Short mmCIF file of all heavy atoms in Angstrom, two decimals:
data_model
loop_
_atom_site.label_atom_id
_atom_site.label_comp_id
_atom_site.label_asym_id
_atom_site.label_seq_id
_atom_site.Cartn_x
_atom_site.Cartn_y
_atom_site.Cartn_z
N MET A 215 -10.60 -12.27 -22.09
CA MET A 215 -10.12 -10.94 -21.64
C MET A 215 -11.25 -10.23 -20.95
O MET A 215 -12.40 -10.38 -21.35
CB MET A 215 -9.58 -10.14 -22.81
CG MET A 215 -8.65 -9.07 -22.42
SD MET A 215 -7.82 -8.36 -23.91
CE MET A 215 -6.77 -9.68 -24.41
N THR A 216 -10.94 -9.52 -19.91
CA THR A 216 -11.97 -8.73 -19.20
C THR A 216 -12.74 -7.86 -20.14
O THR A 216 -12.21 -7.19 -20.99
CB THR A 216 -11.27 -7.92 -18.13
OG1 THR A 216 -10.54 -8.76 -17.26
CG2 THR A 216 -12.33 -7.16 -17.29
N LEU A 219 -13.02 -2.98 -21.30
CA LEU A 219 -11.79 -2.20 -21.25
C LEU A 219 -11.95 -0.98 -22.11
O LEU A 219 -11.51 0.13 -21.80
CB LEU A 219 -10.58 -3.02 -21.67
CG LEU A 219 -10.10 -4.12 -20.69
CD1 LEU A 219 -8.92 -4.86 -21.33
CD2 LEU A 219 -9.76 -3.52 -19.34
N LYS A 282 1.13 0.87 -16.00
CA LYS A 282 0.59 0.25 -14.82
C LYS A 282 0.83 1.22 -13.74
O LYS A 282 2.02 1.40 -13.34
CB LYS A 282 1.26 -1.12 -14.57
CG LYS A 282 0.46 -2.27 -14.75
CD LYS A 282 1.25 -3.55 -14.63
CE LYS A 282 1.12 -4.16 -13.22
NZ LYS A 282 1.70 -5.50 -13.18
N ALA A 289 -9.01 -0.49 -14.98
CA ALA A 289 -8.34 -0.85 -16.25
C ALA A 289 -9.21 -0.42 -17.42
O ALA A 289 -10.33 -0.79 -17.48
CB ALA A 289 -8.05 -2.36 -16.28
N ILE A 316 -3.40 2.49 -23.07
CA ILE A 316 -3.73 1.27 -22.25
C ILE A 316 -3.39 1.64 -20.82
O ILE A 316 -2.20 1.83 -20.45
CB ILE A 316 -2.89 0.07 -22.81
CG1 ILE A 316 -3.24 -0.19 -24.29
CG2 ILE A 316 -3.20 -1.15 -21.94
CD1 ILE A 316 -2.27 -1.15 -24.95
N MET A 318 -3.67 0.69 -16.87
CA MET A 318 -3.90 -0.39 -15.97
C MET A 318 -3.53 0.05 -14.50
O MET A 318 -2.54 0.71 -14.37
CB MET A 318 -3.09 -1.61 -16.34
CG MET A 318 -3.37 -2.16 -17.72
SD MET A 318 -4.98 -3.00 -17.73
CE MET A 318 -5.30 -3.02 -19.54
N ASN A 322 -2.89 -4.68 -10.98
CA ASN A 322 -3.21 -5.62 -12.08
C ASN A 322 -2.24 -6.79 -12.09
O ASN A 322 -1.26 -6.77 -12.83
CB ASN A 322 -3.20 -4.83 -13.39
CG ASN A 322 -3.33 -5.73 -14.59
OD1 ASN A 322 -3.79 -6.88 -14.46
ND2 ASN A 322 -2.89 -5.25 -15.69
N LEU A 323 -2.44 -7.73 -11.23
CA LEU A 323 -1.55 -8.87 -11.06
C LEU A 323 -1.51 -9.78 -12.22
O LEU A 323 -0.47 -10.49 -12.46
CB LEU A 323 -1.88 -9.61 -9.77
CG LEU A 323 -1.81 -8.71 -8.49
CD1 LEU A 323 -2.25 -9.56 -7.28
CD2 LEU A 323 -0.48 -8.16 -8.28
N GLU A 324 -2.56 -9.94 -12.97
CA GLU A 324 -2.58 -10.90 -14.13
C GLU A 324 -1.92 -10.32 -15.36
O GLU A 324 -1.99 -10.88 -16.42
CB GLU A 324 -3.98 -11.35 -14.38
CG GLU A 324 -4.98 -10.31 -14.82
CD GLU A 324 -5.64 -9.58 -13.68
OE1 GLU A 324 -5.28 -9.82 -12.47
OE2 GLU A 324 -6.52 -8.70 -13.94
N ASN A 325 -1.30 -9.10 -15.21
CA ASN A 325 -0.61 -8.47 -16.39
C ASN A 325 -1.50 -8.34 -17.56
O ASN A 325 -1.10 -8.68 -18.68
CB ASN A 325 0.69 -9.23 -16.68
CG ASN A 325 1.78 -8.92 -15.66
OD1 ASN A 325 1.90 -7.76 -15.21
ND2 ASN A 325 2.51 -9.97 -15.31
N LEU A 326 -2.70 -7.91 -17.37
CA LEU A 326 -3.65 -7.69 -18.46
C LEU A 326 -3.12 -6.83 -19.56
O LEU A 326 -3.35 -7.04 -20.71
CB LEU A 326 -5.01 -7.08 -17.88
CG LEU A 326 -6.14 -6.96 -18.82
CD1 LEU A 326 -6.53 -8.27 -19.42
CD2 LEU A 326 -7.35 -6.41 -18.04
N HIS A 327 -2.35 -5.78 -19.17
CA HIS A 327 -1.82 -4.91 -20.19
C HIS A 327 -0.93 -5.62 -21.18
O HIS A 327 -0.97 -5.32 -22.37
CB HIS A 327 -1.06 -3.72 -19.56
CG HIS A 327 0.23 -4.08 -18.87
ND1 HIS A 327 0.32 -4.90 -17.78
CD2 HIS A 327 1.51 -3.77 -19.22
CE1 HIS A 327 1.58 -5.04 -17.40
NE2 HIS A 327 2.33 -4.35 -18.26
N LEU A 328 -0.15 -6.64 -20.76
CA LEU A 328 0.66 -7.37 -21.62
C LEU A 328 -0.18 -8.22 -22.62
O LEU A 328 0.13 -8.37 -23.81
CB LEU A 328 1.65 -8.31 -20.88
CG LEU A 328 2.63 -7.56 -20.00
CD1 LEU A 328 3.50 -8.56 -19.27
CD2 LEU A 328 3.51 -6.64 -20.89
N LYS A 329 -1.28 -8.75 -22.10
CA LYS A 329 -2.23 -9.52 -22.99
C LYS A 329 -2.84 -8.62 -24.00
O LYS A 329 -3.01 -8.97 -25.18
CB LYS A 329 -3.32 -10.15 -22.11
CG LYS A 329 -2.71 -11.26 -21.21
CD LYS A 329 -3.83 -11.78 -20.22
CE LYS A 329 -3.22 -12.67 -19.18
NZ LYS A 329 -4.14 -13.02 -18.12
N VAL A 330 -3.27 -7.42 -23.58
CA VAL A 330 -3.83 -6.45 -24.54
C VAL A 330 -2.86 -6.04 -25.55
O VAL A 330 -3.09 -5.98 -26.77
CB VAL A 330 -4.41 -5.24 -23.80
CG1 VAL A 330 -4.79 -4.11 -24.72
CG2 VAL A 330 -5.56 -5.59 -22.90
N ILE A 331 -1.60 -5.71 -25.16
CA ILE A 331 -0.55 -5.27 -26.11
C ILE A 331 -0.25 -6.41 -27.08
O ILE A 331 -0.13 -6.22 -28.27
CB ILE A 331 0.71 -4.87 -25.37
CG1 ILE A 331 0.39 -3.51 -24.59
CG2 ILE A 331 1.87 -4.71 -26.29
CD1 ILE A 331 1.47 -3.11 -23.57
#
Side-chain angles (χ1 to χ4, degrees):
M215 200 171 290
T216 303
L219 290 177
K282 246 175 101 168
I316 303 168
M318 299 289 160
N322 172 21
L323 300 177
E324 64 275 3
N325 285 319
L326 185 57
H327 69 295
L328 296 178
K329 294 174 188 167
V330 169
I331 291 167

